[in-house]
């Protein structure tokens, strides 16, 4: 699954979070691309940008020891992108299907120290189930999963 087209080419996605303590937090992040034309430093995949504060880098795409992994869980139908750098900063993004989301909906699931976990709801993640072809021969035998080579 190619996620590179899901990132914003000259921009970023924004998550605006209201904490239970009333403190508002704002994040800029992108998928597979650095944040462009935002408050993050060059090549940042995510940063926290609260008014009055300097942006806090969450993960840098160009760090020499930076690691990006992706996985798809067929049971939950969740795509997970994880960005990790040498300082143990981790940004995890769970991408889930939401057929009614005209625009991606992003929320912060948890933040423990330098580990950030976001949820990204989008209709782009609504994967089409595989087509199962069946055919019946003249004797009534049923054949499944037929594909041309």
């Amino acid at each position: 699954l190619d996620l590179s087209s899901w990132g914003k080419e000259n921009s970023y996605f924004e998550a605006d979070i209201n904490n239970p303590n009333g403190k508002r937090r704002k994040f800029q992040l992108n998928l597979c691309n650095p944040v462009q034309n935002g408050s993050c430093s060059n090549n940042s995949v995510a940063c926290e940008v609260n008014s009055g504060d300097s942006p806090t880098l969450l993960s840098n795409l160009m760090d020499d020891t930076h690691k990006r992994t992706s996985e798809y869980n067929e049971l939950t139908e969740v795509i997970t992108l994880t960005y990790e750098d040498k300082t143990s900063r981790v940004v995890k993004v769970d991408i889930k299907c939401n057929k009614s989301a005209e625009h991606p909906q992003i929320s912060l699931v948890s933040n423990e120290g330098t580990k950030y976990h976001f949820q990204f709801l989008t209709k782009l993640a609504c994967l089409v189930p595989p087509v199962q072809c069946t055919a019946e021969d003249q004797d009534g035998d049923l054949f499944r999963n037929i594909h041309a080579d």
Side-chain angles (χ1 to χ4, degrees), residues 52-107:
D53 295 338
S54 296
T56 303
L57 175 73
L58 304 186
S59 186
N60 188 332
L61 283 173
M62 298 311 282
D63 184 329
D64 288 341
T65 61
H66 178 266
K67 182 171 65 174
R68 177 174 67 191
T69 58
S70 60
E71 62 183 59
Y72 175 67
N73 184 320
E74 290 183 37
L75 294 176
T76 61
E77 296 183 339
V78 174
I79 302 163
T80 302
L81 292 178
T82 305
Y83 301 91
E84 188 171 0
D85 67 18
K86 66 182 177 186
T87 63
S88 300
R89 289 185 297 208
V90 177
V91 174
K92 180 178 173 184
V93 183
D94 286 339
I95 305 169
K96 297 182 178 184
C97 169
N98 181 336
K99 292 180 181 176
S100 63
E102 287 301 314
H103 302 286
Q105 300 166 358
I106 304 162
S107 60

Side-chain angles (χ1 to χ4, degrees), residues 14-30:
E14 195 167 81
D16 206 357
I17 314 304
N18 287 316
N19 282 346
N21 64 4
K23 184 180 177 192
R24 188 174 175 192
R25 299 174 74 184
K26 191 177 272 191
F27 297 89
Q28 295 175 353
L29 65 146
N30 209 348

